[in-house]
Amino acid sequence: AVRRPRAMSFSLAERARLAKKRDDTPVGAMERKMRLLAVDEIGVHRVLEAPSARHLEDLAVVSTWGESKRARRVVTLTAGVDATGGAAVDANAAGWFAMGRADDTVDVCDGVTGGVLGGGSVAVGALPVCATVFGPSSASASARLITVTENGDARVHAAACDVHAPADARIVGEWEEVVSNWKPCQSAIRACVSEDGATLATGGKGQGNNLKTHDIETQKVLFKAKAQPPNWLGYVAPPWVSAVRFLPGRGGGDGETILVGTGDHALRLYDLRQDSKRAVMDVQCGERENATTVMAVCGTRDGNTAFAADARGAVVAMDLRTQRSRGKLRGNSGSVRELALHPTLPLVATASLDRWIRVYDVDTCKCVGAGYTKQALCSVAWDVRGPAVAAAAAAAAERKKAKKKAAREGDDAGAEVAAGDGGGSDVAVKKKKKKKRLCSDDDDVGVVKKKKKKKRAKEATEDD
């Protein structure tokens, strides 16, 4: 039997502070339906929903889509980003998700219907480690798809858009490669794009694969991190970047500060404005005897707190002002593969190999909701939609249902026509023959009944 996480109890002081925080949050944001998209190791996509941010304890899987095929499983998942910077809420990229797959392709999908946008999958030549889709802006009327592969190759694709169309029909053109043959690093384990879509950060394992940032438009190097100082034995550990994420709260989300998790269980903060080219913060995550590879990192929008998750399921909340741990996100019993910070609310979601999606309060580090998904998870992302986009998504879902219903009715009508013409399928021919045989049998029965009736009338006359 599946055991749900135990409900957390709050003190009176915590309840008062949480009530004040909810009062300060816009009512529309708190009462809006909470929606998460999770992907597992066999390629199935699961949509989890809760009635509102006040009722996250009711988080559960409401629908699934995608074919169960391990060869096309999703290895990286990113929600659509508004081209002006920040998460897409009632914006042109709301409802889009960029998915890098194990068969060396990238899909841009609609979060409601699951349909692939832009004419189909985009081949990138190797396993993708980063895929981010940006909506159109005043500077460009096209959507942009930025990808990075494990071989260190980066590409930029563009597709024409109609900003007035629903989310599932907004991309009207096919993806066309506009930037190719760009190699920002020798090999990459992780990569990410800043929220304004101008800066690319990459990192990998081995010499020459330390953290680097590039200008996407000019492909020029903006920052190249130096190795950390030698330890007390004089040993300098080789680079091993296992997680990377731009910190949105510092620098206004314009790619000036970056969080990095390493294979030697360290969390580092880089300030690209510093001349030293070294991390301004370098702390160990977890206890030394149990520490392992950092799998995912993220930071709050105020720039004060960072979260780091490792391969043992431990998630640490780090205060970036004091460089000390201020708590842990407890409950995960498997490797945490992804951390997803809500763009407008103080919530962070975790996707773990223990098959649970858990949502935590950023301030208290308490679990406020969890949903069971039946399969080991690879990634998770928030589907943030405002009222206008949510209404458009609902209309798109209704159109899809109506289309399926019309197709079923058309198939039934075609079968009836084929049966009536007598030249259709074998099934229709058999039905026609059976009907004819039954009619002939009924005629024979009628003739026999008439003969018996006449015979009885004749016998009665002779008796008289």
Side-chain angles (χ1 to χ4, degrees):
V2 177
R3 297 176 56 189
R4 295 186 65 87
R6 185 176 58 186
M8 298 295 180
S9 60
F10 297 96
S11 65
L12 293 177
E14 287 176 335
R15 290 178 182 176
R17 189 182 55 76
L18 289 173
K20 182 180 183 303
K21 181 182 68 175
R22 289 171 177 170
D23 291 341
D24 295 338
T25 305
V27 176
M30 292 298 295
E31 297 300 334
R32 190 175 301 160
K33 183 178 290 187
M34 308 302 292
R35 184 182 176 90
L36 286 156
L37 179 64
V39 293
D40 61 31
E41 61 181 7
I42 63 173
V44 177
H45 310 70
R46 289 176 168 82
V47 178
L48 296 92
E49 286 186 356
S52 68
R54 302 177 190 272
H55 301 89
L56 282 168
E57 65 274 8
D58 298 329
L59 186 69
V61 177
V62 296
S63 63
T64 60
W65 44 273
E67 89 179 298
S68 176
K69 192 174 183 180
R70 191 178 294 271
R72 274 184 56 79
R73 69 185 184 278
V74 177
V75 295
T76 176
L77 172 68
T78 309
V81 183
D82 187 7
T84 59
V89 182
D90 271 347
N92 295 327
W96 295 351
F97 290 89
M99 303 177 182
R101 297 186 178 273
D103 61 350
D104 304 342
T105 61
V106 173
D107 293 341
V108 177
C109 299
D110 177 69
V112 173
T113 63
V116 180
L117 309 177
S121 301
V122 178
V124 294
L127 185 70
V129 298
C130 171
T132 308
V133 60
F134 291 84
S137 64
S138 57
S140 174
S142 301
R144 289 194 306 157
L145 175 63
I146 302 171
T147 61
V148 181
T149 67
E150 62 179 357
N151 295 338
D153 298 324
R155 293 177 173 85
V156 180
H157 293 77
C161 289
D162 180 6
V163 296
H164 302 293
D168 63 333
R170 195 168 295 148
I171 299 180
V172 296
E174 296 184 357
W175 293 109
E176 297 181 359
E177 191 169 324
V178 295
V179 176
S180 59
N181 299 324
W182 174 28
K183 201 173 183 68
C185 60
Q186 297 177 7
S187 64
I189 296 177
R190 294 286 184 175
C192 68
V193 184
S194 61
E195 288 185 345
D196 58 4
T199 308
L200 173 67
T202 58
K205 186 177 181 181
Q207 297 297 335
N209 294 316
N210 206 349
L211 175 68
K212 296 178 185 177
T213 64
H214 290 75
D215 185 282
I216 294 178
E217 184 176 356
T218 63
Q219 291 92 53
K220 292 183 178 180
V221 178
L222 300 177
F223 178 86
K224 185 177 180 180
K226 289 184 178 179
Q228 292 302 105
N231 62 9
W232 62 281
L233 290 174
Y235 173 72
V236 179
W240 186 356
V241 177
S242 57
V244 60
R245 187 76 64 86
F246 283 93
L247 188 63
R250 299 189 179 188
D254 55 0
E256 292 185 350
T257 51
I258 301 177
L259 284 170
V260 170
T262 69
D264 50 359
H265 49 83
L267 176 65
R268 294 171 183 164
L269 176 66
Y270 288 88
D271 191 338
L272 307 190
R273 296 164 291 188
Q274 297 289 332
D275 297 331
S276 64
K277 306 297 183 182
R278 285 196 171 101
V280 297
M281 184 191 77
D282 186 1
V283 295
Q284 296 295 311
C285 295
E287 301 175 359
R288 185 176 297 274
E289 60 272 13
N290 294 325
T292 182
T293 304
V294 176
M295 302 298 295
V297 295
C298 72
T300 57
R301 302 199 73 82
D302 59 7
N304 295 331
T305 305
F307 296 93
D310 66 19
R312 290 182 180 270
V315 185
V316 180
M318 192 71 62
D319 192 324
L320 298 180
R321 295 164 294 184
T322 62
Q323 299 187 12
R324 293 179 179 274
S325 173
R326 69 172 188 82
K328 294 182 180 180
L329 307 186
R330 302 182 183 276
N332 296 286
S333 58
S335 174
V336 175
R337 294 301 180 91
E338 189 61 86
L339 295 170
L341 186 75
H342 195 282
T344 58
L345 297 176
L347 300 171
V348 61
T350 63
S352 174
L353 291 184
D354 64 1
R355 307 177 184 182
W356 284 91
I357 292 289
R358 294 179 174 86
V359 181
Y360 296 85
D361 187 287
V362 168
D363 298 327
T364 64
C365 297
K366 302 288 186 179
C367 181
V368 294
Y372 186 67
T373 60
K374 298 184 180 180
Q375 289 291 339
L377 298 170
C378 297
S379 189
V380 64
W382 290 95
D383 187 358
V384 184
R385 297 163 183 261
V389 179
E398 290 297 328
R399 289 197 304 272
K400 186 176 180 181
K401 290 182 180 179
K403 187 176 180 180
K404 286 184 177 180
K405 184 178 180 181
R408 288 196 301 269
E409 291 177 351
D411 293 341
D412 295 341
E416 292 177 359
V417 171
D421 293 340
S425 62
D426 294 339
V427 176
V429 173
K430 288 180 180 179
K431 286 184 177 180
K432 187 175 181 180
K433 288 182 178 179
K434 184 177 180 180
K435 185 176 180 180
K436 186 176 180 181
R437 185 172 63 253
L438 292 174
C439 292
S440 62
D441 292 343
D442 292 341
D443 294 340
D444 294 340
V445 171
V447 171
V448 171
K449 285 183 177 180
K450 286 182 179 180
K451 288 183 178 179
K452 287 183 178 180
K453 187 176 180 181
K454 288 182 178 180
K455 184 176 181 181
R456 286 197 298 269
K458 186 177 181 181
E459 290 177 353
T461 303
E462 290 177 353
D463 293 339
D464 293 342

